[in-house]
Amino acid sequence: MTKTALVTGANKGIGFEIAKQLLEVGYRVLVGARDQKRGETAVNALRKFGDAKLMLLDVSDLESIDNAVTTIKQNYPELTLLVNNAGIPGDMHKPGWEFTVEELQETNQVDFIGPFALSKGLLPLLIANKGTIENISIPIEPHPFFNAFAYQTAKAPLNVMTKSWAMSFEQENIPVEIFAVMPGAVSTDLNGHITGDFVKTPDEAAELIVSFVLDDENHNGQVINYDGTLANYI
């Protein structure tokens, strides 16, 4: 049976490359995109690599999430992999106190609440299929070279979710694996396509992200750094 994956934010950047690489190894990929035209353009490009399907999905909109969950349950009950890739950084340069509450609510909705609601909605399928949830995250410890207040405060609960759900899955013998990958600095439109020796291309980041899906190892509860080491919050 063909394995089916949903990748959010897959019409461009890292998400597009994740979808491409999963297609190349035989997955059917539901290409999550909030804009139909951009989504269709991406799907048309991805179909040369395999079975790509458009899944209209806006993780900032709970109704859109519910609609996508219903569609997937009805049409793709074999879903085995959810990649929560879609995210927004907010302003990565201004001091934390200069943000409005509304700005923080926006990043939190996209970076945590949306992935939480989507994962919760699809969890029955993933349990039935012994599936995997992979969250794309970032380092949440501020330091002089990366002090992105809105981005980090929105991704921090995603890392907590990863560890908390993993613990509960193990305690309750639920056959689902959940882990997070922090690919490091990647040149995308979210950061103005930065460059540097330490910066990955989207396809390099996707290769790292997909490698943990394909390596047949148990990564449950892990938050994995760009270099393969594990983040330690203790």
Side-chain angles (χ1 to χ4, degrees), residues 116-131:
F116 167 82
L118 183 61
S119 301
K120 178 180 173 68
L122 293 175
L123 189 58
L125 291 184
L126 295 169
I127 291 174
N129 299 323
K130 299 180 180 179

Side-chain angles (χ1 to χ4, degrees), residues 88-96 99 104 107 111 138-155:
I88 57 173
D91 189 320
M92 290 194 287
H93 302 291
K94 70 181 179 181
F99 283 91
L104 297 180
T107 52
D111 294 348
I138 64 170
I140 60 173
E141 180 71 24
H143 61 76
F145 299 105
F146 187 64
N147 186 15
F149 181 75
Y151 203 12
Q152 290 175 303
T153 55
K155 285 288 192 177

Side-chain angles (χ1 to χ4, degrees), residues 12-213:
K12 63 179 180 178
I14 299 172
F16 181 92
E17 294 296 333
I18 294 171
K20 173 185 170 183
Q21 293 184 28
L22 288 172
L23 288 166
E24 289 177 328
V25 296
Y27 275 82
R28 173 187 293 119
V29 177
L30 309 181
V31 180
R34 62 180 179 176
D35 181 272
Q36 183 159 351
K37 185 175 180 180
R38 292 176 182 173
E40 288 173 349
T41 298
V43 167
N44 288 336
L46 287 166
R47 280 185 176 147
K48 70 181 71 173
F49 304 102
D51 187 4
K53 309 285 188 184
L54 176 61
M55 182 58 56
L56 287 177
L57 174 59
D58 182 350
V59 294
S60 71
D61 183 339
L62 293 178
E63 183 177 358
S64 175
I65 292 171
D66 288 342
N67 290 339
V69 168
T70 298
T71 298
I72 293 169
K73 285 181 175 179
Q74 291 175 347
N75 297 289
Y76 305 101
E78 74 284 0
L79 184 83
T80 57
L81 174 62
L82 167 61
V83 182
N84 284 312
N85 165 74
I88 57 173
D91 189 320
M92 290 194 287
H93 302 291
K94 70 181 179 181
W97 61 85
E98 292 186 1
F99 283 91
T100 66
V101 170
E102 290 76 17
E103 287 172 326
L104 297 180
Q105 288 174 327
E106 180 183 22
T107 52
N108 190 265
Q109 174 64 45
V110 174
D111 294 348
F112 171 59
I113 297 297
F116 167 82
L118 183 61
S119 301
K120 178 180 173 68
L122 293 175
L123 189 58
L125 291 184
L126 295 169
I127 291 174
N129 299 323
K130 299 180 180 179
T132 299
I133 301 169
E134 183 174 24
N135 295 322
I136 310 307
S137 194
I138 64 170
I140 60 173
E141 180 71 24
H143 61 76
F145 299 105
F146 187 64
N147 186 15
F149 181 75
Y151 203 12
Q152 290 175 303
T153 55
K155 285 288 192 177
L158 188 67
N159 292 1
V160 172
M161 170 184 154
T162 299
K163 289 186 168 291
S164 176
W165 283 31
M167 183 180 295
S168 295
F169 289 163
E170 291 178 357
Q171 291 172 337
E172 300 184 27
N173 294 314
I174 292 173
V176 176
E177 183 178 347
I178 182 171
F179 61 94
V181 178
M182 304 185 293
V186 184
S187 180
T188 69
D189 59 0
L190 292 184
N191 53 37
H193 297 281
I194 60 172
T195 59
D197 293 340
F198 62 95
V199 179
K200 291 183 178 68
T201 62
D203 62 307
E204 289 171 337
E207 183 177 0
L208 175 70
I209 290 162
V210 172
S211 71
F212 297 111
V213 174

